[in-house]
């Protein structure tokens, strides 16, 4: 399959929500058999852009070209007819229906006006086997782990013969093993010429799956390059708009100033004789088994629980 066939081209896409523009003229193109990693900080506009591609929302301005034909906007059905499938960040399944029913959601095969259950189950099993997902077809979707339900949505996209697959942060809810399965399915789809937009916050995944990297920042496209020419540092810099310092915790000028001082604190019941200091800019972790008193100590610090003895000083004040 030639990889140079352009499947989609979004140009000059603008989108406003309630008069506030959140996309300022963004381009995005995907070729057959290509995976474009779409990156950006929270709120950069990634989901908005791909929802426009999936016909979920319409752009305020811009053009959408699919297989060379230009559309001023798409609705969900139009996008679906063109083979655009979206795996949303949020689950989009029917929790009270079975796994098999969910895979065919809305498109159950029928014979003579009746649901062809045998065909449905055989095809559902086939696609789960392709994904190497081992879950019973009769299980209720709602009883599964979020990662498994996410894989069901991917199974549904496969059944529906996706030509362009948009994955909006699927890996957030997947275990490492499930992510590996997802990647191997993406490899199969690439070989079949499916074009994909893959949104992720895990930068280490990018070099594994992406052919091209595009970064959005505050509703603008700030980088679009072949993945092999982009380093992790390039991605971070493009996402943030400046170089990240190695340590993301703020550097405090007077690191030795004690801001919270607890001396010999007891509540008379659960904990006793607790002494600890927290300095400016410091994170102190309280460890303990359930029932050991860690929550109760915090309750006392916040004034929610009476103390029997000892003292709490905040910035030196009792
Ligand atoms: N339905 C909506 N109504 C109003 N504002 C919205 C709506 N959806 C998104 N926004 C705003 O548009 C901007 C872009 O949001 P979007 O969800 O596209 O970002 P994102 O890059 O997908 O972020 P994240 O990584 O958190 O998923 C944000 O400022 C967000 O608050
Ligand atoms: Mg999003």
């Amino acid at each position: 399959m030639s990889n140079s066939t352009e499947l989609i081209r979004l140009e000059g896409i603008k989108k406003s929500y309630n008069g506030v523009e959140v996309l300022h003229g963004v381009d995005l193109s995907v070729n057959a058999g290509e995976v474009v990693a779409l990156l950006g900080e929270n709120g950069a506009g990634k989901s908005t852009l791909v929802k426009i591609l999936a016909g979920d929302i319409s752009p305020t301005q811009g053009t959408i070209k699919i297989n060379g034909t230009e559309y001023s906007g798409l609705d969900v059905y139009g996008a679906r007819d063109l083979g655009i499938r979206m795996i949303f960040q949020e689950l989009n399944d029917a929790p009270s229906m079975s796994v098999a029913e969910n895979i065919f959601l809305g498109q159950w095969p029928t014979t003579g006006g009746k649901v062809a259950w045998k065909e449905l189950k055989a095809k559902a099993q086939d696609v789960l086997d392709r994904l190497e997902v081992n879950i019973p077809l009769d299980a209720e979707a709602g009883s599964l782990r979020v990662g498994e339900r996410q894989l069901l949505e991917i199974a549904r996209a496969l059944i529906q013969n996706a030509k362009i697959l948009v994955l909006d942060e699927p890996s957030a809810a997947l275990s490492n093993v499930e992510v590996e399965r997802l990647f191997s399915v993406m490899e199969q789809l690439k070989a079949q010429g499916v074009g994909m937009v893959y949104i992720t916050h895990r930068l280490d995944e990018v070099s594994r799956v992406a052919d091209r990297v595009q970064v959005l920042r505050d509703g603008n496209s700030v980088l679009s390059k072949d993945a092999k020419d982009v380093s992790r540092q390039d991605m971070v810099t493009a996402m943030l708009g400046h170089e990240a310092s190695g340590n993301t915790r703020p550097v405090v000028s007077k690191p030795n100033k004690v801001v919270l001082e607890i001396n010999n604190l007891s509540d008379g019941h659960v904990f006793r004789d607790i002494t600890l200091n927290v300095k400016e800019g410091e994170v102190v972790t309280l460890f303990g088994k359930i029932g050991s008193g860690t929550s109760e100590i915090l309750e006392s610090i916040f004034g929610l629980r009476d103390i029997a003895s000892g003292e709490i000083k905040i910035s030196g004040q009792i």
Side-chain angles (χ1 to χ4, degrees), residues 126-143:
D126 182 56
V127 74
L128 288 185
D129 289 347
R130 267 176 77 189
L131 282 166
E132 295 177 56
V133 174
N134 195 7
I135 36 182
L137 290 176
D138 294 327
E140 254 187 34
S143 70

Side-chain angles (χ1 to χ4, degrees), residues 56-76:
D56 217 38
I57 53 176
S58 22
T60 316
Q61 211 176 304
T63 55
I64 302 171
K65 228 187 236 176
I66 318 261
N67 295 320
T69 307
E70 198 169 300
Y71 302 84
S72 58
L74 287 172
D75 61 17
V76 176

Side-chain angles (χ1 to χ4, degrees), residues 104-143:
F104 281 89
L105 205 61
Q107 301 198 340
W108 294 348
T110 53
T111 43
K114 287 190 181 158
V115 177
W117 287 109
K118 230 174 145 181
E119 183 189 343
L120 185 147
K121 287 197 173 179
K123 285 191 170 165
Q125 190 60 58
D126 182 56
V127 74
L128 288 185
D129 289 347
R130 267 176 77 189
L131 282 166
E132 295 177 56
V133 174
N134 195 7
I135 36 182
L137 290 176
D138 294 327
E140 254 187 34
S143 70

Side-chain angles (χ1 to χ4, degrees), residues 11-17 21-27 48-49 52 58-63 219:
E11 260 174 353
I13 298 291
K14 294 187 178 179
K15 176 66 187 176
S16 299
Y17 288 113
E21 195 173 271
V22 299
L23 290 179
H24 310 295
V26 174
D27 300 345
T48 301
L49 184 63
I52 289 170
S58 22
T60 316
Q61 211 176 304
T63 55

